[in-house]
Amino acid sequence: MVLSGGMDSVTMLYEYASEIEFAVNFSYGSNHNERELECARYHCRRLGIELVEIDLSFIARYFHSSLLEGAD
């Protein structure tokens, strides 16, 4: 499953833990990304589910938004 580390995806992680082979987190540099990634790591460790982390931080070189650069 795709696991952002936010409330919704962590709830799904627990709901379907027995059916999940592994979780995937896409790190693209959003404002809350680091905090949510730590949460995803914590809950995957707690449940014994492998977390695959994919670095997409290069996206900020091509796209500009307040999600990636912070609110003004």
Side-chain angles (χ1 to χ4, degrees), residues 2-36:
V2 175
L3 180 66
S4 70
M7 189 182 318
D8 294 335
S9 66
V10 170
T11 299
M12 295 263 312
L13 183 74
Y14 277 85
E15 183 72 25
Y16 295 98
S18 65
E19 301 172 41
I20 296 172
E21 291 288 325
F22 62 92
V24 178
N25 177 277
F26 297 100
S27 181
Y28 57 94
S30 72
N31 297 327
H32 300 96
N33 202 198
E34 192 58 38
R35 190 171 76 203
E36 289 182 340

Side-chain angles (χ1 to χ4, degrees), residues 18-57:
S18 65
E19 301 172 41
I20 296 172
E21 291 288 325
F22 62 92
V24 178
N25 177 277
F26 297 100
S27 181
Y28 57 94
S30 72
N31 297 327
H32 300 96
N33 202 198
E34 192 58 38
R35 190 171 76 203
E36 289 182 340
L37 178 55
E38 285 303 318
C39 187
R41 288 173 179 155
Y42 169 80
H43 290 288
C44 281
R45 272 193 312 269
R46 189 164 185 228
L47 293 170
I49 295 172
E50 178 186 1
L51 178 62
V52 175
E53 299 175 25
I54 299 176
D55 181 15
L56 298 177
S57 59

